[in-house]
Amino acid sequence: MKLSEFIISALGLSLYLSSPASAQLYNYSYNDTGGKLVTAKPDTAFLNPSGVITLNLISGLDRKERVTVTRDSDKTSMFEGTTSLVTVADRITSIDGAEYYGKSLVLPTLGEGAFTLKSDTLDNKGNLVSSSTYPFSIDITAPSIPDPIVWIRA
């Protein structure tokens, strides 16, 4: 093998190995109870959506993302869905300028409570490549203010 063929082969292998293979939730996006569009990172513990939540998922090319959402209190499955195959047409530029290959899935209105989201990356044959879990809670109940308000002077 000539040196140039070796370098081209090594470069091709490094590009293949550098493509993301891990299941990853990039962010949640939703309208909050005040009507404001919110984009929340995966480590956000509490969400307050007024309706559906959009999951923005990173998977890499020639992959699918399978998502399940389970209510923690009784282990009820609240959502199960799988994206279509990610292609070069699925390059996403996020609000903060990051670029990645992935898909979005829309969760139904889940109600209040604690949940666990599991994201599985599947290869183009449906085999599991990687898996990640993300705990989150939904709280849409506004705080209550006693009526009448009693002011205490110290």
Side-chain angles (χ1 to χ4, degrees):
M1 181 183 284
K2 293 180 184 176
L3 180 60
S4 62
E5 292 173 340
F6 175 77
I7 291 172
I8 291 171
S9 296
L11 180 60
L13 180 61
S14 69
L15 288 173
Y16 175 75
L17 294 176
S18 66
S19 65
S22 63
Q24 185 175 351
L25 171 64
Y26 186 75
N27 63 29
Y28 304 97
S29 59
Y30 58 89
N31 288 317
D32 70 9
T33 54
K36 179 182 170 191
L37 178 62
V38 174
T39 301
K41 293 292 183 189
D43 60 354
T44 304
F46 291 94
L47 308 176
N48 65 335
S50 61
V52 300
I53 299 171
T54 299
L55 306 175
N56 299 303
L57 305 158
I58 297 175
S59 64
L61 291 171
D62 296 326
R63 307 272 191 230
K64 294 179 181 181
E65 285 296 312
R66 178 176 58 208
V67 172
T68 56
V69 177
T70 306
R71 186 172 45 219
D72 293 349
S73 63
D74 59 4
K75 305 301 182 210
T76 297
S77 176
M78 303 298 290
F79 176 83
E80 293 181 12
T82 303
T83 68
S84 58
L85 196 66
V86 175
T87 67
V88 293
D90 297 311
R91 186 173 186 88
I92 298 170
T93 302
S94 67
I95 292 173
D96 61 5
E99 293 184 356
Y100 59 91
Y101 289 101
K103 294 277 190 175
S104 296
L105 281 176
V106 178
L107 299 180
T109 302
L110 299 172
E112 290 191 306
F115 301 90
T116 299
L117 181 147
K118 181 179 177 191
S119 177
D120 296 329
T121 296
L122 309 173
D123 67 15
N124 58 3
K125 293 184 171 116
N127 300 312
L128 182 64
V129 174
S130 66
S131 186
S132 298
T133 57
Y134 303 91
F136 67 97
S137 293
I138 294 179
D139 180 7
I140 57 173
T141 303
S144 62
I145 299 174
D147 187 28
I149 296 175
V150 177
W151 297 97
I152 300 174
R153 206 171 197 156

